[in-house]
Amino acid sequence: MTIAHTPAGAASAAPAPARVDLARTWMLRSPLAGGLETAADVLVLDLEDGLPAGRKAEGRERARRAAAGSPVWLRISAAGTRDGEHDLALGRELDDRLAGVVLAMCAGPDDVAHVAASLPGGTPIVAMVESAAALLAAPAIAAHPSTRRLAFGTGDFRRDTGMAADRIALSWPRAQLVVASAAAGIAGPIDGPCGPIEQARDAALHAVAMGFTGTLALRDAAVAGAHAGFTPSPAEVEAARSLLSQTPDGPVDGSYAPTLARARALVERAEALAAL
């Protein structure tokens, strides 16, 4: 992934990958932060939680300046709120310097429709599911034509539902987002931040097992572990290629077809990530 290098104190952002569906790590960074370089696949300037209430205007101005260097991703506040409307106004102003938006607190497909209609045509939208009601609406959110990915806002979801930060407790909502994404034909969802940095790879491997294909990140130190978890290993790729090379000609037993499909998907993903 090519990263933009800028002088100290300058506001700039890492360019987004050409394919939103392949991005593994989505770094949320306040526009007020001193340095905006990152090893993550996508740097998202966070206009929602990344800015205190009294510094929203300052943060938007810094995001505006960052976009002068390369197109930027923005995390915008909830649709229909005052801050959300100001964030959308900035997105319209940036026009082709807006790479995409991460929509915080998405409540349903109407929120996606509102954001899509308020921004330049074709702007990619990653919709964050952060409440019980939003989870129940996830199939409709994922099916909206402007939704490119779903993201799981684990912190706010847990606050809304009372669920613990426990893999078993969160397995059902995670599975719902995976199923909604698959049914809509979009890439697997983006998980919430991994937690302690030393757990980044393990958290990513668990997310992959659940069907997720990326994660939000808050600290650059977590990126290497997350990438290791979300990227097929050389051994996995070799095993998949070996399996595919041994496939007999002619019809394949139906019970074996899913195994072959998973092997093809793994090889294709590994090749696509290597090309980023």
Side-chain angles (χ1 to χ4, degrees), residues 215-239:
T215 185
L216 300 174
L218 303 178
R219 290 168 289 182
D220 266 299
V223 170
H227 279 177
F230 281 107
T231 305
S233 70
E236 289 174 321
V237 175
E238 181 180 356

Side-chain angles (χ1 to χ4, degrees), residues 9-167:
S12 184
R19 291 180 57 183
V20 175
D21 58 315
L22 284 175
R24 300 157 295 182
T25 48
W26 299 69
M27 178 65 62
L28 298 176
R29 185 75 55 79
S30 170
L32 303 176
L36 298 180
E37 295 182 359
T38 180
D41 288 339
V42 181
L43 175 64
V44 183
L45 300 182
D46 188 358
L47 305 182
E48 192 222 15
D49 284 346
L51 295 175
R55 301 185 71 182
K56 293 286 189 180
E58 178 188 355
R60 292 187 193 101
E61 175 56 32
R62 292 207 184 192
R64 181 182 292 107
R65 281 183 285 172
S70 61
V72 296
W73 275 82
L74 302 176
R75 175 156 83 158
I76 61 175
S77 296
T81 64
R82 180 179 178 182
D83 284 328
E85 292 306 304
H86 286 308
D87 294 344
L88 288 174
L90 172 60
R92 288 192 296 274
E93 178 187 338
L94 294 181
D95 195 20
D96 61 356
R97 292 177 292 143
L98 178 66
V101 297
V102 175
L103 172 58
M105 302 301 291
C106 181
D110 288 349
D111 284 357
V112 179
H114 174 70
V115 169
S118 302
L119 292 174
T123 299
I125 297 173
V126 173
M128 292 197 66
V129 174
E130 304 185 73
S131 69
L135 181 66
L136 295 180
I141 294 171
H144 192 282
S146 293
T147 302
R148 297 288 296 276
R149 302 275 290 272
L150 297 179
F152 191 20
T154 49
D156 281 312
F157 183 83
R158 288 175 49 229
R159 180 176 61 182
D160 187 51
T161 62
M163 287 186 176
D166 178 84
R167 288 182 178 177

Side-chain angles (χ1 to χ4, degrees), residues 207-271:
V208 169
M210 291 292 304
F212 282 68
T213 56
T215 185
L216 300 174
L218 303 178
R219 290 168 289 182
D220 266 299
V223 170
H227 279 177
F230 281 107
T231 305
S233 70
E236 289 174 321
V237 175
E238 181 180 356
R241 284 181 170 150
S242 176
L243 175 65
L244 293 172
S245 70
Q246 296 170 19
T247 303
D249 293 332
V252 177
D253 182 276
S255 63
Y256 197 51
T259 301
L260 295 177
R262 287 179 64 86
R264 291 191 191 95
L266 186 145
V267 171
E268 289 171 1
R269 179 169 175 80
E271 291 175 346

